[in-house]
Amino acid sequence: MRSASSLRQEFLKKWLKGLQIYSGSKKEMSILERKKAIKLSADVAMASTRISTSSWSRALMARASNDATNKVLVQHVLSPEAQKLVPIKKDPKKLMIISRSTSSISKRISSKKIVRRSCYATRRMRKAAAQVVEASSIAKRLVMKRTEVLKSLVPGGEYMDDVSLIRETLDYILSLRLQVDVMRHFANATEETDHGKGYK
Amino acid sequence: MSSRRSRQSSGSSRITDDQIIELVSKLQQLLPEIRTRRSNKASASKVLQDTCNYIRSLHKEVDDLSDRLSQLLSTIDADSPEAAIIRSLLAES
């Protein structure tokens, strides 16, 4: 794992490199356009620091490249490595596996219920058993539901199996924190400079 | 390439307890508010929820900082005052 400071440096350099794309263009950028440019450059720069070690970064790049304008940015930031970038394609096989095992789990749960009901003699034991299964199936459903939410938050998450999702999530969170940290330092430094110069 | 293609013996679509233990211990370093619990399904969903909330808050921070920067930087040019900042930021690490 690379040192945090070398990652920060790489992010900062790439972020600024990406921002250079916009310096030539229309002088009168609206504040909103500027914000989008700043944010996109930062996201792309962050992803490029993890491009060879994670798949969320590639998904983010692929998503950014969907827009013709942004594609220029992506390729500029990646420059020598741009050729190696393979766009993420939806893997239908993967999606089928996930949905198939989801339905098999619910089948397993309902068949568990049936087996337990027929085994226990007394009504109370049957009821208690049904409640236990009910509770654990609710918990499982909750985990599955929350997993779906997580998949929507991590770039490329929808195509990941659960094990990869966890690993990618950890890498993604660490990168986000680094991005926030560098951006905040930069904003603070810029603000101080502006105040020092007597800007508004 | 876009995923680890190794054959997974578990290959399950639900998160197992071992994976939850791994996730909880790593997230504990990232999210100090997570209390140590018995690793069971209930805490798995709580960990997932906390993770999602945390990611959302990080997204919001990036957005807010981009807002702030778009107001601070009158142009996107890597111009002289910013160049000095950049140089100092790069030098300190």
Side-chain angles (χ1 to χ4, degrees), chain A:
Chain A
M1 180 83 184
R2 295 169 50 190
S3 73
S5 71
S6 88
L7 276 173
R8 290 157 136 264
Q9 280 213 4
E10 188 188 340
F11 165 68
L12 189 57
K13 280 183 187 155
K14 290 198 168 158
W15 183 24
L16 298 167
K17 187 178 181 193
L19 286 175
Q20 277 165 17
I21 296 251
Y22 301 93
S23 57
S25 71
K26 2 176 191 162
K27 282 296 191 135
E28 305 303 327
M29 260 184 131
S30 72
I31 282 203
L32 185 60
E33 283 170 336
R34 245 194 336 264
K35 174 201 168 171
K36 283 187 186 164
I38 288 170
K39 184 170 178 198
L40 180 67
S41 306
D43 287 345
V44 167
M46 171 188 75
S48 81
T49 67
R50 307 300 289 159
I51 198 77
S52 50
T53 51
S54 70
S55 65
W56 66 259
S57 55
R58 279 169 282 204
L60 193 150
M61 293 289 198
R63 197 198 292 163
S65 302
N66 280 339
D67 184 295
T69 344
N70 299 342
K71 196 167 185 174
V72 177
L73 170 72
V74 172
Q75 284 170 346
H76 180 77
V77 169
L78 286 176
S79 34
E81 310 116 52
Q83 280 83 39
K84 299 188 204 148
L85 187 67
V86 176
I88 303 281
K89 290 201 180 82
K90 280 190 200 179
D91 190 336
K93 254 187 250 171
K94 269 220 182 118
L95 295 171
M96 266 169 43
I97 290 171
I98 289 170
S99 61
R100 220 187 291 135
S101 29
T102 307
S103 59
S104 76
I105 281 182
S106 48
K107 276 190 206 143
R108 247 184 278 152
I109 289 171
S110 39
S111 54
K112 256 195 208 158
K113 278 185 186 167
I114 294 169
V115 165
R116 286 191 197 200
R117 281 199 195 113
S118 61
C119 277
Y120 293 109
T122 68
R123 206 172 271 196
R124 232 183 316 159
M125 285 181 78
R126 245 183 278 143
K127 186 179 173 192
Q131 274 172 353
V132 165
V133 172
E134 187 77 26
S136 77
S137 74
I138 286 176
K140 277 178 197 164
R141 260 183 273 139
L142 198 54
V143 167
M144 273 164 53
K145 201 172 87 167
R146 300 248 159 96
T147 306
E148 288 309 304
V149 175
L150 182 60
K151 282 182 174 182
S152 72
L153 289 171
V154 175
E158 319 89 87
Y159 312 123
M160 290 176 198
D161 60 271
D162 286 2
V163 181
S164 307
L165 179 65
I166 295 182
R167 284 201 212 105
E168 292 286 323
T169 301
L170 289 166
D171 192 270
Y172 185 53
I173 287 182
L174 288 169
S175 301
L176 275 174
R177 279 152 58 118
L178 187 140
Q179 180 183 358
V180 165
D181 199 44
V182 174
M183 286 176 85
R184 196 184 293 131
H185 274 105
F186 189 73
N188 290 342
T190 308
E191 217 165 44
E192 277 167 26
T193 313
D194 283 357
H195 288 160
K197 293 199 167 186
Y199 291 166
K200 159 196 70 67

Side-chain angles (χ1 to χ4, degrees), chain A residues 9 23 162 172 184 188, chain B residues 13 54 59 61 68 77 90:
Chain A
Q9 280 213 4
S23 57
D162 286 2
Y172 185 53
R184 196 184 293 131
N188 290 342
Chain B
S13 86
Y54 190 44
H59 283 167
E61 279 204 74
R68 204 172 136 203
D77 289 324
L90 287 171

Side-chain angles (χ1 to χ4, degrees), chain B residues 7 10 17 31 34-35 39 63 70 76 79 90:
Chain B
R7 293 277 116 211
S10 58
D17 280 352
L31 304 167
I34 288 191
R35 302 183 294 277
S39 174
D63 202 73
S70 67
I76 296 255
D79 255 341
L90 287 171

Side-chain angles (χ1 to χ4, degrees), chain B residues 58-86:
Chain B
L58 286 169
H59 283 167
K60 177 112 198 347
E61 279 204 74
V62 169
D63 202 73
D64 291 344
L65 284 164
S66 304
D67 256 328
R68 204 172 136 203
L69 279 166
S70 67
Q71 285 161 13
L72 288 170
L73 301 170
S74 48
T75 65
I76 296 255
D77 289 324
D79 255 341
S80 34
E82 280 77 50
I85 300 167
I86 293 154

